[in-house]
Amino acid sequence: MCFANLKILNFRDFETVNIPLTGNIVLLGENLVGKSNLPLAIRLFNLMIDRY
C-alpha cells in the first residue's frame, strides 16, 4: 500500500499538517518543536491499520 499524502489533524503539536509523500522526507528543526511526533503519528496509524 502506498500513500501520496499524509494529513495530520490535532495530534500533539500538530493542529493541521499536510505532507506530500514524494521523494525523501527530512525533518529539521530546533529542540522541542515536535519532530519526533511525526514518526509517532505514522506508527500509531500503522498500529490501527494492523489491528482492524
Side-chain angles (χ1 to χ4, degrees), residues 6 14 16 25-26 28-29 32 39 48 50:
L6 174 65
F14 302 123
T16 302
I25 297 173
V26 178
L28 297 175
L32 301 174
M48 291 183 345
D50 287 344

Side-chain angles (χ1 to χ4, degrees), residues 18-40:
N18 196 4
I19 303 170
L21 299 176
T22 57
N24 296 326
I25 297 173
V26 178
L27 300 176
L28 297 175
E30 297 188 18
N31 293 338
L32 301 174
V33 295
K35 295 180 300 291
S36 60
N37 289 335
L38 179 60
L40 178 59

